[in-house]
Amino acid sequence: MAAIITKRGRSTFSTLLLLSILALACLRHVESSDPTLDENQKSTTKPKVKRGLEAVNDPEVGSALDPHPDPNDENYEGMIYLGMHDTEGHRVGFHVENGIKYIFGTSFDETHKEIEEHDLLIHHHGPDTLHDLPHTERGKTREQVLHSRRHTELNPDGPKPFGHVEIHPLDGGVTPPKVVHFDPVFLDEVLVTNKKYGKFVRATYYKTEAEQFGWSFVLSSFMQNVEKLEEHDTDPEAEHWVAVDGAYWREPEGPGSSYKYRENHPVVHVSHRDAAEYCLWLGKRIPGEWEWEGAARAGHYGPKNRTLFAWGEESELDVATKHANLWGEGEFPWENKAEDGWRGTSPIKTYPPNGYGFYDMTGNVWEWMRGGKHKSRIVRGGSYVDTLDGSFNHAATLGARSTLHGTTTTGNVGFRCAKAPSRRTEYHFKYHDEEEHGELAIEDQFGKKHTLPQKNWEDQFVVYEDEDEDEFNEGMDTKMKKRKVILPRSRRSNEL
């Protein structure tokens, strides 16, 4: 009898427990669906902490990245876009790799033929390029490449300084050739002329370094008073370049000369800083030498179509005179037969452009490049004093390269400008402790600060984090405001 009562009691208890659970579930359903209930009577849940892509894509917090701009919508007068194009000729967007990869370096070194085509297809670039191990050394495994790097034989002449490169004796180009990559860029189709530089000087009252120093280098055969040559100082590394007092861009050969009939010639007697200031005035910059050579080679990037000169492989003088302003057969510096029609600089667009539409990528004047050291700035392209074969001065190939002190001003060095395409705006989020720094204020278009959000103000929001996320935050108010701040772009080119 007792056993029967016990079984009945257990059955009744189980039934009551089940009914209680069902009633509780119904009550919670009513509370969550009834909008008339007080908010304080609802069950509270801890906010979820969102991180990574989930936080970036949260519309309440705000995206850290704007959409990529379409490079096809961006154009600048007198500039040409360098970057990857699709089969229909449209510019490839920044959502994929859209830079240019090619074989960079001297044109005389035949080792570039050992670089096979598929090596150019390896997307190998970025800040850790030198630490990665791509299969660019033919016939070697990654382990063998790593072993050779770790156990390189010591140079008996001692370590090389930072930025040191081996150069070819004829054109001064980097040797051995190597595969490089640069991001898309806009580059001026022509050199900066005297007329354009004059507008800059008149608008800013800029004074070039040649004017500040009071002298500049002039080719000895171009001097106004050649009979007084012995009284002038010369460049110790280039004895035919004479320091002439009063020479600068307006008076290229010194007092008594003028640029007036050479307004469409490239400006000369400008230092690296003078060139950089002009580009900055226009919202541009000096190009890097990877970018410059990529423009000069005009698509001849692989080992099979790489050429020696801008016009091809022809090394005859009568062919070169139709494409570039160089020194002819006369003895340098006194005998210039002007086979190309010019003894010194020539006007822009005198010669035909290369395959991409750039003018004077070989000859006329050297061009300042971005990078290098102040005592060893890079110049590219050759000038009117260079020859085809390098019998004197440099061989005017596509790999022609030299270095000058950053303050050097001379009659055969000019420049052109570059500009990076627009990129999407990136943001990051900063905490703002109002107890320590005061109430978060915003600034309107008139420079006045307000403590209350204004219309269309989207950069101020509040993110509540989980109070139990960190055990050290117990008992503290972790509700802090965040500010959405534009992340400044410090990288304008992947060369530096």
Side-chain angles (χ1 to χ4, degrees), residues 113-182:
K113 295 181 179 180
E114 300 176 4
I115 304 176
E116 297 186 8
E117 288 289 348
H118 77 271
D119 290 328
L120 295 177
L121 301 178
I122 300 176
H123 295 295
H124 177 68
H125 58 90
D128 297 325
T129 298
L130 298 179
H131 303 287
D132 296 337
L133 294 172
H135 294 289
T136 54
E137 297 190 35
R138 309 308 309 154
K140 291 186 178 182
T141 64
R142 293 176 65 87
E143 289 74 15
Q144 291 173 333
V145 174
L146 182 60
H147 182 274
S148 63
R149 288 191 180 186
R150 288 179 174 176
H151 301 279
T152 304
E153 295 183 2
L154 296 178
N155 190 333
D157 299 329
K160 300 297 183 181
F162 177 78
H164 173 81
V165 294
E166 298 293 337
I167 61 174
H168 196 277
L170 289 179
D171 63 356
V174 176
T175 184
K178 59 182 180 180
V179 176
V180 299
H181 166 276
F182 66 89

Coordinates of all heavy atoms in Angstrom, one line a residue, residues 113-182:
K113 N 67.4 37.3 -69.2 CA 66.8 36.3 -70.1 C 66.6 35.0 -69.3 O 65.8 34.1 -69.7 CB 67.7 36.0 -71.3 CG 67.8 37.2 -72.2 CD 68.6 36.9 -73.4 CE 68.7 38.1 -74.4 NZ 69.5 37.9 -75.6
E114 N 67.3 34.9 -68.1 CA 67.1 33.7 -67.3 C 65.8 33.8 -66.5 O 65.4 32.8 -65.9 CB 68.3 33.5 -66.4 CG 69.6 33.3 -67.1 CD 70.8 33.2 -66.2 OE1 70.5 33.2 -65.0 OE2 71.9 33.1 -66.7
I115 N 65.2 35.0 -66.4 CA 64.0 35.1 -65.6 C 62.8 34.7 -66.5 O 62.6 35.3 -67.5 CB 63.8 36.6 -65.1 CG1 65.0 37.0 -64.3 CG2 62.5 36.7 -64.3 CD1 65.0 38.5 -63.9
E116 N 62.2 33.7 -66.1 CA 61.1 33.1 -67.0 C 59.8 33.9 -66.8 O 59.6 34.6 -65.8 CB 60.9 31.6 -66.7 CG 62.1 30.8 -67.0 CD 61.9 29.3 -66.8 OE1 60.7 29.0 -66.6 OE2 62.9 28.6 -66.9
E117 N 58.9 33.7 -67.7 CA 57.7 34.4 -67.8 C 56.8 34.2 -66.5 O 56.3 35.2 -66.0 CB 56.9 34.1 -69.0 CG 57.4 34.6 -70.3 CD 57.3 36.1 -70.5 OE1 56.5 36.7 -69.7 OE2 57.9 36.6 -71.4
H118 N 56.8 33.0 -66.0 CA 55.9 32.7 -64.9 C 56.4 33.4 -63.6 O 55.7 33.6 -62.7 CB 55.7 31.2 -64.7 CG 56.8 30.6 -64.0 ND1 57.9 30.0 -64.7 CD2 57.1 30.3 -62.7 CE1 58.7 29.5 -63.8 NE2 58.3 29.6 -62.6
D119 N 57.7 33.8 -63.6 CA 58.2 34.5 -62.4 C 57.5 35.9 -62.3 O 57.4 36.4 -61.2 CB 59.7 34.7 -62.5 CG 60.4 33.4 -62.3 OD1 59.9 32.6 -61.5 OD2 61.5 33.2 -62.9
L120 N 57.1 36.4 -63.4 CA 56.5 37.8 -63.4 C 55.0 37.6 -62.9 O 54.4 38.6 -62.6 CB 56.5 38.4 -64.8 CG 57.8 38.7 -65.4 CD1 57.7 39.2 -66.8 CD2 58.6 39.7 -64.5
L121 N 54.5 36.4 -62.9 CA 53.1 36.2 -62.4 C 53.0 36.0 -60.9 O 51.9 36.0 -60.4 CB 52.5 35.0 -63.2 CG 52.5 35.2 -64.7 CD1 51.9 33.9 -65.3 CD2 51.7 36.4 -65.1
I122 N 54.2 35.8 -60.3 CA 54.1 35.6 -58.8 C 53.9 36.9 -58.1 O 54.7 37.8 -58.2 CB 55.5 35.0 -58.3 CG1 55.7 33.6 -59.0 CG2 55.4 34.8 -56.8 CD1 57.0 33.0 -58.6
H123 N 52.7 37.1 -57.5 CA 52.4 38.3 -56.8 C 53.2 38.4 -55.5 O 52.9 37.9 -54.5 CB 50.9 38.4 -56.5 CG 50.1 38.5 -57.7 ND1 50.2 39.6 -58.6 CD2 49.2 37.7 -58.3 CE1 49.4 39.4 -59.6 NE2 48.8 38.2 -59.5
H124 N 54.4 39.0 -55.6 CA 55.3 39.1 -54.5 C 55.7 40.5 -54.2 O 56.6 41.1 -54.9 CB 56.5 38.2 -54.8 CG 57.6 38.3 -53.8 ND1 57.4 37.7 -52.5 CD2 58.9 38.8 -53.8 CE1 58.5 37.9 -51.8 NE2 59.4 38.5 -52.5
H125 N 55.0 41.1 -53.3 CA 55.3 42.5 -53.0 C 54.8 42.8 -51.6 O 54.2 42.0 -50.9 CB 54.7 43.5 -54.0 CG 53.2 43.3 -54.1 ND1 52.3 44.0 -53.3 CD2 52.4 42.4 -54.8 CE1 51.1 43.6 -53.5 NE2 51.1 42.7 -54.5
G126 N 55.1 44.0 -51.1 CA 54.6 44.4 -49.8 C 55.8 44.7 -48.9 O 57.0 44.6 -49.2
P127 N 55.5 45.1 -47.6 CA 56.5 45.5 -46.7 C 57.5 44.3 -46.3 O 58.6 44.6 -45.9 CB 55.8 46.0 -45.5 CG 54.4 45.3 -45.6 CD 54.1 45.1 -47.0
D128 N 57.1 43.0 -46.4 CA 57.9 41.9 -46.0 C 58.5 41.2 -47.2 O 58.8 40.0 -47.2 CB 57.1 40.9 -45.2 CG 56.6 41.5 -43.9 OD1 57.3 42.4 -43.4 OD2 55.5 41.2 -43.5
T129 N 58.7 41.9 -48.3 CA 59.1 41.3 -49.6 C 60.5 40.6 -49.4 O 60.7 39.5 -49.8 CB 59.2 42.3 -50.7 OG1 57.9 42.9 -50.9 CG2 59.8 41.7 -52.0
L130 N 61.4 41.3 -48.7 CA 62.8 40.8 -48.6 C 62.8 39.6 -47.7 O 63.8 38.9 -47.7 CB 63.7 41.9 -48.1 CG 63.8 43.1 -49.0 CD1 64.8 44.2 -48.4 CD2 64.4 42.7 -50.3
H131 N 61.8 39.4 -46.9 CA 61.8 38.3 -45.9 C 61.1 37.1 -46.5 O 61.2 36.0 -45.9 CB 61.2 38.7 -44.6 CG 61.9 39.9 -44.0 ND1 63.1 39.8 -43.4 CD2 61.5 41.2 -43.9 CE1 63.5 41.0 -42.9 NE2 62.5 41.9 -43.2
D132 N 60.4 37.2 -47.6 CA 59.7 36.1 -48.2 C 60.6 35.3 -49.0 O 61.7 35.8 -49.4 CB 58.5 36.6 -49.0 CG 57.4 37.3 -48.1 OD1 57.4 37.0 -46.9 OD2 56.6 38.1 -48.7
L133 N 60.2 34.1 -49.4 CA 61.1 33.2 -50.2 C 60.3 32.7 -51.4 O 59.9 31.6 -51.5 CB 61.6 32.1 -49.4 CG 62.5 32.4 -48.2 CD1 62.7 31.2 -47.4 CD2 63.8 33.0 -48.7
P134 N 60.1 33.5 -52.4 CA 59.4 33.0 -53.6 C 60.4 32.2 -54.4 O 61.6 32.2 -54.3 CB 59.1 34.3 -54.4 CG 60.2 35.3 -54.0 CD 60.5 34.9 -52.6
H135 N 59.8 31.4 -55.4 CA 60.7 30.5 -56.2 C 61.2 31.3 -57.4 O 60.8 31.1 -58.5 CB 59.9 29.3 -56.7 CG 59.5 28.4 -55.5 ND1 60.4 27.6 -54.9 CD2 58.3 28.2 -55.0 CE1 59.7 26.9 -53.9 NE2 58.5 27.2 -54.0
T136 N 62.0 32.3 -57.1 CA 62.6 33.1 -58.2 C 64.0 32.7 -58.6 O 64.5 33.1 -59.6 CB 62.6 34.6 -57.8 OG1 63.3 34.7 -56.6 CG2 61.2 35.1 -57.7
E137 N 64.6 31.8 -57.8 CA 65.9 31.3 -58.1 C 65.7 29.9 -58.8 O 65.3 29.0 -58.1 CB 66.8 31.2 -56.9 CG 67.1 32.5 -56.2 CD 68.2 32.4 -55.2 OE1 69.1 31.6 -55.3 OE2 68.1 33.1 -54.2
R138 N 66.0 29.9 -60.1 CA 65.6 28.7 -60.8 C 66.3 27.5 -60.3 O 67.5 27.5 -60.0 CB 66.0 28.9 -62.3 CG 65.4 30.3 -62.9 CD 64.0 30.4 -62.7 NE 63.2 29.3 -63.1 CZ 62.0 29.0 -62.5 NH1 61.5 29.7 -61.6 NH2 61.4 27.9 -63.0
G139 N 65.6 26.4 -60.3 CA 66.1 25.1 -59.9 C 66.4 24.9 -58.5 O 67.1 23.9 -58.1
K140 N 66.0 25.8 -57.6 CA 66.2 25.7 -56.1 C 64.9 25.5 -55.4 O 63.9 26.2 -55.7 CB 67.0 26.9 -55.6 CG 68.5 26.9 -56.1 CD 69.2 28.1 -55.4 CE 70.7 28.1 -55.9 NZ 71.4 29.2 -55.2
T141 N 65.0 24.8 -54.3 CA 63.8 24.7 -53.4 C 63.8 25.8 -52.5 O 64.8 26.5 -52.3 CB 63.8 23.3 -52.7 OG1 65.0 23.3 -51.8 CG2 63.9 22.2 -53.7
R142 N 62.7 26.0 -51.7 CA 62.7 27.0 -50.7 C 63.8 26.8 -49.6 O 64.3 27.8 -49.1 CB 61.3 27.1 -50.1 CG 60.2 27.5 -51.1 CD 58.8 27.5 -50.4 NE 58.7 28.4 -49.3 CZ 58.3 29.7 -49.4 NH1 58.1 30.2 -50.6 NH2 58.2 30.4 -48.4
E143 N 64.0 25.6 -49.3 CA 65.0 25.3 -48.3 C 66.4 25.7 -48.8 O 67.2 26.2 -48.0 CB 65.0 23.8 -47.9 CG 63.8 23.3 -47.1 CD 62.5 23.3 -48.0 OE1 62.7 23.3 -49.2 OE2 61.4 23.2 -47.4
Q144 N 66.7 25.4 -50.0 CA 68.0 25.8 -50.6 C 68.2 27.3 -50.7 O 69.2 27.8 -50.4 CB 68.2 25.2 -52.0 CG 68.3 23.6 -51.9 CD 68.3 23.1 -53.3 OE1 67.7 23.6 -54.3 NE2 68.9 21.9 -53.5
V145 N 67.1 28.0 -51.0 CA 67.1 29.5 -51.1 C 67.4 30.0 -49.7 O 68.2 30.9 -49.5 CB 65.8 30.0 -51.7 CG1 65.8 31.6 -51.6 CG2 65.7 29.6 -53.1
L146 N 66.7 29.5 -48.7 CA 66.9 29.9 -47.3 C 68.3 29.7 -46.8 O 68.9 30.5 -46.1 CB 65.8 29.3 -46.4 CG 65.8 29.7 -44.9 CD1 65.6 31.2 -44.8 CD2 64.8 28.9 -44.2
H147 N 68.8 28.5 -47.2 CA 70.1 28.1 -46.7 C 71.2 29.1 -47.3 O 72.1 29.5 -46.7 CB 70.5 26.7 -47.1 CG 71.8 26.2 -46.6 ND1 72.9 26.4 -47.4 CD2 72.2 25.6 -45.5 CE1 74.0 25.9 -46.7 NE2 73.5 25.4 -45.6
S148 N 71.0 29.4 -48.6 CA 72.0 30.3 -49.3 C 71.9 31.7 -48.7 O 73.0 32.4 -48.6 CB 71.7 30.3 -50.8 OG 70.4 30.9 -51.0
R149 N 70.8 32.1 -48.3 CA 70.6 33.5 -47.7 C 71.3 33.5 -46.3 O 71.9 34.5 -45.9 CB 69.2 33.9 -47.6 CG 68.6 34.2 -48.9 CD 67.2 34.9 -48.7 NE 66.6 35.2 -50.0 CZ 65.5 35.9 -50.1 NH1 64.9 36.4 -49.0 NH2 64.9 36.2 -51.3
R150 N 71.1 32.4 -45.5 CA 71.6 32.4 -44.2 C 73.1 32.2 -44.1 O 73.8 32.5 -43.2 CB 70.9 31.3 -43.4 CG 69.5 31.6 -43.0 CD 68.8 30.5 -42.2 NE 67.5 30.8 -41.8 CZ 66.7 30.0 -41.2 NH1 67.1 28.8 -40.9 NH2 65.5 30.4 -40.8
H151 N 73.7 31.6 -45.2 CA 75.1 31.2 -45.2 C 75.8 31.9 -46.3 O 76.7 31.3 -47.0 CB 75.3 29.7 -45.2 CG 74.6 29.0 -44.1 ND1 75.2 28.8 -42.9 CD2 73.4 28.4 -44.0 CE1 74.4 28.2 -42.1 NE2 73.3 27.9 -42.7
T152 N 75.5 33.1 -46.6 CA 76.2 33.9 -47.6 C 77.6 34.2 -47.2 O 77.9 34.5 -46.1 CB 75.4 35.2 -47.9 OG1 74.1 34.9 -48.2 CG2 76.1 35.9 -49.1
E153 N 78.5 34.1 -48.2 CA 79.9 34.3 -47.9 C 80.1 35.8 -47.7 O 79.5 36.7 -48.3 CB 80.8 33.9 -49.1 CG 80.8 32.4 -49.4 CD 81.7 32.1 -50.5 OE1 82.3 33.0 -51.1 OE2 81.8 30.9 -50.9
L154 N 81.0 36.1 -46.7 CA 81.2 37.5 -46.4 C 82.0 38.2 -47.5 O 82.9 37.6 -48.1 CB 82.0 37.6 -45.0 CG 81.3 37.0 -43.8 CD1 82.3 37.1 -42.6 CD2 80.1 37.8 -43.5
N155 N 81.6 39.5 -47.6 CA 82.3 40.3 -48.6 C 83.6 40.8 -48.1 O 83.7 41.4 -47.0 CB 81.4 41.5 -49.0 CG 82.0 42.3 -50.2 OD1 83.2 42.3 -50.4 ND2 81.1 42.9 -50.9
P156 N 84.8 40.5 -48.7 CA 86.1 40.9 -48.2 C 86.2 42.4 -48.1 O 87.1 42.9 -47.3 CB 87.1 40.3 -49.2 CG 86.3 40.1 -50.4 CD 84.9 39.8 -50.0
D157 N 85.4 43.2 -48.8 CA 85.5 44.6 -48.8 C 84.7 45.2 -47.6 O 84.6 46.4 -47.5 CB 85.1 45.2 -50.1 CG 86.0 44.8 -51.2 OD1 87.2 44.5 -51.0 OD2 85.5 44.7 -52.4
G158 N 84.0 44.3 -46.9 CA 83.2 44.8 -45.8 C 81.7 45.0 -46.2 O 81.4 44.8 -47.4
P159 N 80.9 45.3 -45.2 CA 79.4 45.4 -45.5 C 79.2 46.6 -46.4 O 79.9 47.7 -46.3 CB 78.8 45.5 -44.2 CG 79.9 46.1 -43.3 CD 81.2 45.5 -43.8
K160 N 78.1 46.6 -47.2 CA 77.7 47.7 -48.1 C 76.7 48.6 -47.3 O 76.0 48.1 -46.5 CB 77.0 47.1 -49.3 CG 77.9 46.3 -50.2 CD 79.2 47.0 -50.7 CE 80.0 46.1 -51.6 NZ 81.2 46.8 -52.1
P161 N 76.8 49.9 -47.6 CA 75.8 50.8 -46.9 C 74.4 50.5 -47.4 O 74.1 49.9 -48.4 CB 76.3 52.2 -47.3 CG 77.0 51.9 -48.6 CD 77.6 50.6 -48.5
F162 N 73.5 51.0 -46.5 CA 72.0 50.8 -46.9 C 71.7 51.5 -48.2 O 72.1 52.6 -48.4 CB 71.2 51.4 -45.7 CG 69.7 51.4 -46.0 CD1 69.0 50.2 -45.8 CD2 69.0 52.5 -46.4 CE1 67.7 50.1 -46.1 CE2 67.7 52.4 -46.7 CZ 67.0 51.2 -46.5
G163 N 71.0 50.8 -49.0 CA 70.6 51.3 -50.3 C 71.6 51.1 -51.4 O 71.4 51.5 -52.6
H164 N 72.7 50.4 -51.1 CA 73.7 50.2 -52.1 C 73.3 49.2 -53.2 O 72.6 48.2 -52.9 CB 75.0 49.6 -51.5 CG 76.1 49.2 -52.4 ND1 76.9 50.1 -53.0 CD2 76.4 48.0 -52.9 CE1 77.7 49.4 -53.9 NE2 77.4 48.2 -53.8
V165 N 73.6 49.5 -54.4 CA 73.3 48.6 -55.6 C 74.5 48.5 -56.4 O 75.3 49.5 -56.6 CB 72.0 49.1 -56.4 CG1 70.8 49.1 -55.6 CG2 72.3 50.5 -56.9
E166 N 74.6 47.4 -57.1 CA 75.7 47.2 -58.1 C 75.2 47.8 -59.4 O 74.1 47.7 -59.8 CB 76.0 45.7 -58.2 CG 76.6 45.1 -57.0 CD 77.9 45.6 -56.6 OE1 78.6 46.1 -57.4 OE2 78.3 45.5 -55.4
I167 N 76.1 48.5 -60.1 CA 75.7 49.2 -61.3 C 76.6 48.7 -62.5 O 77.7 48.3 -62.3 CB 75.8 50.7 -61.2 CG1 77.2 51.1 -60.9 CG2 74.8 51.2 -60.1 CD1 77.4 52.6 -60.8
H168 N 76.0 48.8 -63.7 CA 76.8 48.5 -64.9 C 77.7 49.7 -65.3 O 77.2 50.8 -65.2 CB 75.8 48.1 -66.0 CG 76.4 47.4 -67.1 ND1 77.1 48.0 -68.2 CD2 76.5 46.1 -67.4 CE1 77.6 47.2 -69.0 NE2 77.2 46.0 -68.6
P169 N 78.9 49.4 -65.8 CA 79.8 50.5 -66.1 C 79.4 51.4 -67.3 O 79.8 52.5 -67.4 CB 81.1 49.8 -66.4 CG 80.8 48.4 -66.7 CD 79.5 48.1 -65.9
L170 N 78.5 50.9 -68.2 CA 78.1 51.6 -69.3 C 77.0 52.6 -69.1 O 77.1 53.8 -69.4 CB 77.8 50.7 -70.5 CG 79.0 49.9 -71.1 CD1 78.6 49.0 -72.2 CD2 80.1 50.9 -71.6
D171 N 75.9 52.0 -68.6 CA 74.7 52.9 -68.4 C 74.4 53.2 -67.0 O 73.5 54.0 -66.7 CB 73.5 52.3 -69.1 CG 73.0 51.0 -68.5 OD1 73.8 50.5 -67.6 OD2 72.0 50.4 -68.9
G172 N 75.1 52.7 -66.0 CA 74.9 52.9 -64.6 C 73.7 52.2 -64.1 O 73.3 52.5 -62.9
G173 N 73.1 51.4 -64.9 CA 71.8 50.7 -64.4 C 72.1 49.6 -63.3 O 73.2 49.1 -63.2
V174 N 71.1 49.3 -62.6 CA 71.2 48.3 -61.5 C 71.5 46.9 -62.1 O 70.8 46.5 -63.1 CB 69.9 48.3 -60.7 CG1 70.0 47.2 -59.6 CG2 69.7 49.6 -60.0
T175 N 72.4 46.2 -61.5 CA 72.7 44.9 -62.0 C 72.9 44.0 -60.8 O 73.3 44.4 -59.7 CB 74.1 44.9 -62.8 OG1 74.3 43.6 -63.3 CG2 75.2 45.4 -62.0
P176 N 72.4 42.7 -60.9 CA 71.7 42.1 -62.0 C 70.3 42.6 -62.1 O 69.7 43.0 -61.1 CB 71.8 40.6 -61.8 CG 71.8 40.5 -60.3 CD 72.6 41.7 -59.8
P177 N 69.6 42.5 -63.2 CA 68.2 42.8 -63.3 C 67.4 42.0 -62.4 O 67.7 40.8 -62.1 CB 67.9 42.5 -64.8 CG 69.2 42.6 -65.5 CD 70.2 42.1 -64.5
K178 N 66.3 42.5 -61.9 CA 65.4 41.8 -61.0 C 64.0 42.1 -61.2 O 63.6 43.2 -61.9 CB 65.8 42.2 -59.5 CG 65.6 43.7 -59.2 CD 66.0 44.0 -57.8 CE 65.9 45.5 -57.5 NZ 66.3 45.8 -56.1
V179 N 63.1 41.3 -60.7 CA 61.6 41.5 -60.9 C 61.2 42.5 -59.8 O 61.4 42.2 -58.6 CB 60.9 40.2 -60.8 CG1 59.4 40.5 -60.9 CG2 61.3 39.3 -62.0
V180 N 60.5 43.5 -60.1 CA 60.0 44.5 -59.2 C 58.5 44.7 -59.4 O 58.0 44.4 -60.5 CB 60.7 45.9 -59.2 CG1 62.2 45.7 -58.9 CG2 60.5 46.5 -60.6
H181 N 57.8 45.3 -58.5 CA 56.4 45.6 -58.6 C 56.1 47.0 -58.1 O 56.7 47.4 -57.1 CB 55.6 44.6 -57.8 CG 54.1 45.0 -57.6 ND1 53.8 45.8 -56.5 CD2 53.0 44.7 -58.2 CE1 52.5 46.0 -56.6 NE2 52.0 45.3 -57.6
F182 N 55.3 47.8 -58.7 CA 54.8 49.1 -58.2 C 53.3 49.2 -58.3 O 52.7 48.7 -59.2 CB 55.6 50.2 -58.9 CG 55.2 50.4 -60.4 CD1 54.2 51.2 -60.8 CD2 56.0 49.8 -61.3 CE1 53.9 51.4 -62.1 CE2 55.7 50.0 -62.7 CZ 54.6 50.8 -63.1

